Every structure is written in C-alpha cells, then in structure tokens.
Amino acid sequence: MQRRNFIKTGGLTALALSALSVSSCHVLAPSSTRGANDQPTTDNFELNELSVFELQKKMENKTYTSKSITALYLQRIAKIDQAGPQLHAVIELHPSALQTAEEMDKERAAGKVRGPLHGIPVLIKDNIDTGDGLLTSAGSLALSDNYQTEDAFIIKRLREAGAVIIGKTNLSEWANFRSSRSTSAWSSRGGQTKNPYVLDRNPSGSSSGSGSAVAANLCALAIGTETDGSIISPSSVNNLVGIKPTVGLWSRTGIIPISKTQDTAGPMTRSVTDAAILLGALTGVDDQDPVTKYSEGRFKKDYTTFLRPDGLKGKRLGVEKSAFKRHAATDELLNEAIRVLRSQGAIVTEISLNDTLKNAGDAEFTVLLYEFKAGLNAYLSGCNSKIKSLADVIAYNKVNEATMMPFFKQETLEKAQIKGDLTEKEYLEALEKSHVHSKKAIDRILTDHNLDAIIAPSNGFPVCIDLVNGDYDNGFYFSSAAAMAGYSHITVPMGSWHDLPMGLSFIGTAYAEPALLLVAFAYEQASNKRTSPQFKPVVV
C-alpha cells in the first residue's frame, strides 16, 4: 500500500510538507563543477519503449526470438539496475528465464502461439508466490527462507499465456505497512529503489520496483499489487499506465496480504494497450478466493476490444475540484488534460469526492490493521518459512534490529498485533465507515452527475528519498476512494514538470474496466505524454 498521512494523522488529504525531508534532495552543482556522474545517462537500448504488439511482430518476422529479447532485458538489468544508475528495482532474477524463453520459441516454431503474451518477458512484485525456486519475501529478510511450492493463481494464468518470468521486483517492505515513518521503496532485502527520471526522487510504493523497472525498460511488463495507491502512485510518478482492478477481478490467492477488502494485483505498463492485454490474460474465477466469484460473467479475456481513439466522444467526466490550486504546475498539467479531453468530445464538470470521504482515513487504517493481522497469520501459517505469524515477524525484527530497522521501526506491525479478530465491533464499524461509505459516495457521484468516470491527478510529483525522516506529503493523493471501495482505477501519463512525472486518474464503479479503458486509451492517444527516463541525478 501507499503509506500516507492517514496513518500519521487520519487526514485523507493532509498537505503539510516536511522541510527536513525536502532538504534531503541533492542540490545540483554549477555546470562548471559537475562530474561525469552528474550527467543524464545516454540511453540507446534497442528495445526501448517497444510494446507487446511490436515485440510480437519482431518475433513473427524473426528479427528477434523470445530468448534474444529475454537476454537483452537481462543485460539491461545488469547495466542499469545493478551497475550504472543502480536503480535497485529488481530484487531477484530467474535462473531459468532463458530456458523458458527458448521453450516458447520452440512452441512458436511448431506453430503454437498462445496469445499476445507468448514469449514476453515480465517482472513480478516480490509479494506474489512463484513455485519455481524464487523467494517470496515482501522485501523482508525475515522471509529469506520462504520458497513456495505453488504459483499464485495469477502466476499460473501468466505462465499459461506464455509469458516469461524474468525475476521479481523490490517493494516497500511489507507493502509499506510497517511504520508510520517509513520510506517508500526501501526494504531490508532489496535496499532503496530509485526513480529513473530523477535518481534522488522516490519511485513511490509499494510496487516501487515494478514501477521503476517498467519505466526504465528493464522488462516489457510488470505486475504490482495495491491496497491503497500501491499500483496507481508508482505508476503515476514513473510515467506509466497502471490499473488497479476491481477487487476480485484478479485472484489474490498466493499473494502476501494486507487487506481482504482492498487488496488486488494489477498491470503496470508503458501503454494502455499493454495494460489491457495483461489485464485480460489474468482474469478468472478462483475457488480459493471467494471474491472472484462475483467477477463471473463480468470479466473479459480480451480488454483490447474496448480501445478506440474516439472513446471520449460524448463521455461525461467529473474532475475532482480539490485537486486545483495546490501546485501551479499541477494546475497547468490538469488544465491541459481537460483541454485535451474536451477537444476529443468529452464533457467535463467539477465534482467533490475527496471532501465526502475526508473523515474515512482513520476507519480505513483500523480496517487494515485488523485484516493485515488475520490475513498475514493465515498466509504465514501455511508457508514454508520458519516465520509462522505476525508475532514471529515482530520478534525477528527486534532480534535483528540493526539490519531490519536501521531507519524506521515497526509500530504499524505492533498496532496490528494487538487487534482482535474480524468479529470485533471496532472492525465492523470501521468497515462501514470506509468500505461501504466509499462505495456509496462514488456511486452517488457517478449517478447524480450522470458520469462515465471521475478524473483527477493521480497524486503529486515524486518526493525526495529521505531515509532519515521518511516520506512526506507531495500535495495531493487520489487513490483512497477507489481503494476503500474496491473499485476500478486507471492512471495514464499526464505530463511532467522538471522531468518529474504525474498521471491522470480515471476511476469508476465495480467492474468498470471496459468503460475506463475506453476513455483512458482515447486520452492517451490524444495526449501522448509518455516519455522514457534520462536517469538524471537531480532536478535541473
């Protein structure tokens, strides 16, 4: 999840900035004194920005094979992630990736192509189980022995589609549900992931490595997970398309949990089309995740059929009015986006969603504390690690404090540990105030204003990495409403300021992915705001 100020203060959109945190960013030296390491990295990677369809075309005409594409991405990771800018986005590489790619090539040569993901290299977040010898650690050294024997449901789907898993990505430890003063994108196992656009900026979290890796072209596609903002926020600040699906559209079986109410995995890609391809490939009803049963008859196996350049014509969009007058550059980007939307035939009116939910933050946090304890205990009790409970995690961290907690502690874990079970009155009342109230608020606004979607900046600009003081507010945040409701949410690149990206969010009701993809794709095609990173050391 995205650790936000509601954990510290209960405020949904608190604006206080920490001067100490801001000062942690580097100051660019005068040009006459800059060294070679102060310059943007020259990037001529031959697979830069290639889409799934483009990679498929190159495999069809034998320009590349899956094996050669996989090898190029692995070389790219060695150059950019482990050397060079040292993004620390990839936490572990798959030793059999080239072998898997070669198997996909043999199938292609024999006339079998499973679909658009056949032979395509993918990175997955390190809180998703794979039964192939890779660790599933949630970024924590406490789970350094957690080798699972079965794939998560969505990983089974991914393999069935012919994708090549090349490794796992770093994340904010325990999906950023450890401390109220945590730094996003840091984990005891993977260290600190960087933003490839400006290296002293945070790539956000908790799907930090997935965001940084896709933005830097370390893979074709990546999978992240979200409880509140953990797909949308890192997608936004890494200039990506991210989809936080309706809860239940993708199974959560085999994913280290925070919340049974809000958790979901989702695509993180460089284009709406690629996100739609990945979204459809991993849908399906899973008997081990009862929530997926509600998706029966609603999920699609191919969401690309909803992608039309004229998808905005006649559509009604409500823009969140609290997003304005917070930052001059944000206003400029948002007003430009609105001009584009209107030029494509959309009707845009102001609405107020955040104000409706401004008191829901405390309730949401209470829900997460209860559900995290229950869900994590259930996951750990059945895993192959020596760590079998949340209490074991807390104890491990205390014994190994110098390694596990060098910058921030574990007060969020400790708060969760003292909670009771999911029959407690406190939990049930909080669930009503956050989950139920959010669903009603979104549905009411959509209905009262006859809207096809609600839009807003996904969040503010990327903040500085500050391991001493932790994360600070970046001025605006728009993930909580859809997250608490379990509703669909898509972010698309909206532009940049001083090379710091920002996304435009489209949110809707349950299973509104087709309608959101329609307008998100049309906006993407009309605006064309995705740019590749230059790995600048600081803001210039």
Side-chain angles (χ1 to χ4, degrees):
M1 69 171 292
Q2 169 72 16
R3 189 198 60 78
R4 297 159 36 258
N5 268 9
F6 76 78
I7 294 179
K8 294 189 287 186
T9 67
L12 187 66
T13 55
L15 297 177
L17 297 177
S18 165
L20 290 173
S21 295
V22 174
S23 68
S24 70
C25 276
H26 298 111
V27 177
L28 188 65
S31 58
S32 61
T33 64
R34 290 182 212 164
N37 292 334
D38 291 326
Q39 301 302 324
T41 300
T42 300
D43 190 8
N44 55 4
F45 179 50
E46 58 191 283
L47 301 182
N48 259 352
E49 301 298 309
L50 291 187
S51 68
V52 167
F53 284 148
E54 288 169 327
L55 290 171
Q56 287 294 346
K57 190 67 176 177
K58 289 182 181 295
M59 286 188 282
E60 289 170 14
N61 64 25
K62 300 182 180 180
T63 303
Y64 293 108
T65 62
S66 176
K67 186 176 182 180
S68 66
I69 291 170
T70 300
L72 284 169
Y73 279 126
L74 292 174
Q75 292 165 17
R76 172 77 165 177
I77 290 168
K79 178 181 178 181
I80 298 295
D81 198 61
Q82 300 168 359
Q86 295 184 336
L87 295 176
H88 300 298
V90 180
I91 204 168
E92 186 174 5
L93 290 172
H94 202 306
S96 301
L98 290 173
Q99 180 181 340
T100 302
E102 189 171 13
E103 291 170 0
M104 293 301 102
D105 288 332
K106 289 178 180 177
E107 286 192 8
R108 185 184 295 273
K112 179 182 179 181
V113 177
R114 303 187 187 193
L117 293 181
H118 189 107
I120 299 296
V122 179
L123 285 167
I124 64 172
K125 187 176 179 180
D126 184 40
N127 61 348
I128 304 173
D129 287 347
T130 56
D132 55 6
L134 295 181
L135 274 171
T136 304
S137 71
S140 174
L141 289 172
L143 294 187
S144 58
D145 59 349
N146 187 32
Y147 293 95
Q148 295 289 59
T149 57
E150 290 190 22
D151 286 338
F153 182 91
I154 60 171
I155 299 304
K156 292 177 184 177
R157 284 282 196 265
L158 191 64
R159 294 193 203 276
E160 290 167 1
V164 178
I165 296 172
I166 59 174
K168 290 193 172 183
T169 55
N170 196 22
L171 67 156
S172 311
E173 187 169 307
W174 295 111
N176 229 354
F177 203 69
R178 202 191 91 179
S179 170
S180 61
R181 203 177 48 73
S182 65
T183 299
S184 292
W186 183 90
S187 74
S188 58
R189 183 177 173 220
Q192 178 67 47
T193 302
K194 302 175 186 176
N195 189 309
Y197 286 86
V198 180
L199 296 172
D200 72 347
R201 295 279 165 161
N202 201 297
S204 193
S206 63
S207 303
S208 319
S210 294
S212 181
V214 178
N217 287 273
L218 305 186
C219 57
L221 309 164
I223 295 174
T225 67
E226 173 163 328
T227 302
D228 187 332
S230 286
I231 290 172
I232 297 301
S233 183
S235 294
S236 173
V237 303
N238 286 285
N239 222 12
L240 299 176
V241 174
I243 300 180
K244 197 284 291 185
T246 302
V247 172
L249 190 65
W250 279 15
S251 166
R252 287 88 53 83
T253 301
I255 301 176
I256 297 176
I258 292 179
S259 166
K260 71 184 184 73
T261 303
Q262 296 182 200
D263 285 353
T264 181
M268 299 175 71
T269 68
R270 292 182 291 271
S271 71
V272 174
T273 300
D274 283 358
I277 291 170
L278 186 54
L279 181 67
L282 275 59
T283 57
V285 175
D286 173 16
D287 290 338
Q288 295 185 60
D289 184 354
V291 181
T292 63
K293 293 179 182 179
Y294 294 103
S295 74
E296 191 165 13
R298 297 179 174 184
F299 71 79
K300 314 294 180 183
K301 298 308 296 182
D302 182 5
Y303 284 92
T304 63
T305 59
F306 301 101
L307 309 183
R308 300 203 315 266
D310 64 349
L312 282 163
K313 189 174 182 179
K315 295 297 182 290
R316 294 182 57 85
L317 306 175
V319 60
E320 172 59 41
K321 68 179 183 180
S322 69
F324 293 101
K325 296 182 181 179
R326 292 173 178 265
H327 193 296
T330 302
D331 284 353
E332 184 176 341
L333 292 179
L334 182 56
N335 283 321
E336 180 186 355
I338 292 170
R339 286 194 293 271
V340 171
L341 294 166
R342 286 173 171 159
S343 75
Q344 299 301 304
I347 301 163
V348 182
T349 58
E350 286 192 1
I351 56 92
S352 179
L353 177 60
N354 271 358
D355 285 347
T356 305
L357 299 172
K358 63 184 178 181
N359 297 318
D362 285 334
E364 180 190 17
F365 187 45
T366 298
V367 168
L368 301 187
L369 290 173
Y370 275 94
E371 293 187 348
F372 178 68
K373 179 183 179 181
L376 187 64
N377 283 343
Y379 174 89
L380 292 175
S381 66
C383 77
N384 295 316
S385 173
K386 63 183 179 298
I387 300 294
K388 293 297 183 184
S389 67
L390 174 58
D392 287 350
V393 174
I394 293 169
Y396 181 95
N397 289 345
K398 287 180 178 178
V399 170
N400 300 280
E401 185 167 0
T403 302
M404 301 303 297
M405 300 188 289
F407 303 112
F408 49 89
K409 304 305 178 184
Q410 59 175 349
E411 63 272 16
T412 302
L413 300 184
E414 292 166 348
K415 287 179 180 178
Q417 177 58 24
I418 63 175
K419 292 299 182 183
D421 61 29
L422 302 187
T423 64
E424 295 277 349
K425 180 180 179 182
E426 180 188 41
Y427 166 72
L428 297 174
E429 289 180 347
L431 191 65
E432 177 73 23
K433 292 176 182 177
S434 62
H435 178 59
V436 176
H437 180 51
S438 297
K439 292 170 71 172
K440 290 178 178 178
I442 293 172
D443 288 341
R444 185 183 305 114
I445 285 176
L446 290 170
T447 300
D448 289 352
H449 296 270
N450 191 26
L451 300 177
D452 296 282
I454 298 168
I455 64 169
S458 300
N459 56 1
F461 295 106
V463 301
C464 298
I465 294 170
D466 190 340
L467 288 165
V468 174
N469 297 294
D471 290 343
Y472 60 91
D473 225 344
N474 63 357
F476 186 73
Y477 188 80
F478 198 59
S479 286
S480 289
M484 289 187 290
Y487 282 176
S488 47
H489 188 169
I490 299 177
T491 183
V492 178
M494 185 170 66
S496 299
W497 184 64
H498 289 289
D499 297 301
L500 299 174
M502 179 181 288
L504 179 66
S505 279
F506 299 82
I507 75 170
T509 189
Y511 305 103
E513 284 79 8
L516 296 187
L517 284 165
L518 182 69
V519 292
F521 177 77
Y523 170 73
E524 174 197 52
Q525 297 301 298
S527 61
N528 193 28
K529 293 297 184 179
R530 163 71 192 172
T531 57
S532 56
Q534 294 185 8
F535 308 97
K536 294 185 176 181
V538 295
V539 170
V540 177

